[in-house]
Each structure stands twice: as C-alpha cells, then as structure tokens.
Amino acid sequence: MHTAQDLIVCEHCDSVYRRRTLARGEVADCAVCGAVLDRHQWVSVDGQFALIVTAFIVFVIANVSPIVTLGLSGMSAATTLWGAVIAMWNDGAQIVAFLSAMTLFFFPLSQILIFGWVLWFARSGRRAPWFAQAMTALVSVKPWSMIEVFMLGTLVAVVKAHTYFDVVPGAGIWAFGVLTLLITVFSSLDPRELWTLTREDKA
C-alpha cells in the first residue's frame, strides 16, 4: 500500500502517479495533460538554505546601496531604490511608486523570508509550523516578484543616460544583478519537493 509521500497528483488534471526517484536532468510529465509533475532537484535542502541566506544578504545590500551615481559639470547625485520610489511618490506618481515598492521590495522579501522559514525546518526533515499556508503563499507571491524586469529596465536607462551624464554603477545595481542570478537558480527548483522531504512533527 502506498503512502501519500509515495504518490504524486497532477495539479492540472488530478491524475495520480507513483513517485519515483529521478536522475539528474530528468523531468516527470503527466501522461494525460503533459504538465510537469516533478523534476530532479540538483541542489540539496542545505544548499537551498545557503542560497536563500545569500539572497537575503544581497537583497539588503541592493536596497541600502546606491544604484547609480549621475555626474554632470562636476556635480553628482546618487540614489537608492527607496530614494527613487520616494521621488516618484513626491512627483505625483503614487501608483507607480506603490507598485515599484511592492514588486521590488515587499514581494521579493516575502518570498525570501517564507522560503527561508520552511527550509530552516526542512534541513532536519521537519515541516515548519503553518507549512501548508507557507507553501501556498510561495506560489502566490512568486509571480509578483519582478526584480528581473527592474534589472533590465535599469540597464536600458543607464545606457541611455550615459549619453548625457557621467554614469557610475553603484553597489546596489551589482547586488541586484547577483540577486537576479540567484532568482534564476531558484526558478529552476521545485519547492513542492519539500512535501516529500519533510514530515509532520509527532504530537
């Protein structure tokens, strides 16, 4: 008789399959609808936790350090992400400022903290308190984290501004670049695997 951890259910068509161990690079697809059921996790839980801690440190650096410094006729001005958000708010672009703050700060920070929370307990094979709610929140928050879009837009703006100003990239933009790479790594991982790797604490 199979336990719940031995089975995998397609989230699109509800087909049920017996879970098997995947080799490096293998992906399990649903035979009915073709959706991805499972993929080989090439980073261990400890490795994922180390990456999420790194992402948090880089995230803090990205938000407190200047993104770029603009120079013109011997004068210079530098700004951070929050400096830009506040400037947009004061200039009457409150909606853009709000969306920028949510998609570039609050949603990514929530994703990092929630993932770190569940991974902290998963390292010892346990499920974190409110594990199901945390996993649901991860799925809901992930599409709203748009650091990659911000990074692309910033690079385009820097290239255009270089025509008129002396542009010096700050530590913030380098930190956002590293954060973009870390997010790309996390995108290749499937957090649903934590359901299999962890168990509820016995009362």
Side-chain angles (χ1 to χ4, degrees), residues 5-63:
Q5 281 72 25
D6 296 327
L7 303 176
I8 185 169
V9 180
C10 177
E11 60 185 33
H12 295 280
C13 66
D14 295 331
S15 299
V16 180
Y17 300 89
R18 181 167 61 86
R19 187 185 299 274
R20 70 179 183 85
T21 303
L22 299 177
R24 178 178 290 272
E26 282 191 328
V27 177
D29 296 328
C30 177
V32 177
C33 68
V36 175
L37 298 172
D38 195 10
R39 65 178 71 244
H40 176 264
Q41 295 290 75
W42 58 279
V43 181
S44 66
V45 172
D46 287 333
Q48 292 180 50
F49 184 74
L51 286 174
I52 207 69
V53 171
T54 303
F56 177 76
I57 296 173
V58 173
F59 181 82
V60 172
I61 296 174
N63 280 275

Side-chain angles (χ1 to χ4, degrees), residues 127 137 195:
R127 288 183 181 173
W195 287 97

Side-chain angles (χ1 to χ4, degrees), residues 62-85:
N63 280 275
V64 301
S65 302
I67 300 174
V68 293
T69 300
L70 300 179
L72 180 65
S73 301
M75 301 180 63
S76 63
T79 186
T80 62
L81 171 63
W82 278 104
V85 170

Side-chain angles (χ1 to χ4, degrees), residues 145-195:
S145 178
M146 300 184 180
I147 290 178
E148 306 95 321
V149 178
F150 166 75
M151 190 64 191
L152 179 61
T154 301
L155 291 176
V156 173
V158 166
V159 172
K160 290 186 175 181
H162 189 69
T163 305
Y164 308 98
F165 304 95
D166 294 325
V167 181
V168 179
I173 195 171
W174 295 109
F176 271 114
V178 174
L179 192 59
T180 300
L181 294 177
L182 291 173
I183 290 176
T184 302
V185 172
F186 278 112
S187 297
S188 67
L189 304 175
D190 190 351
R192 295 176 300 179
E193 183 73 8
L194 294 176
W195 287 97

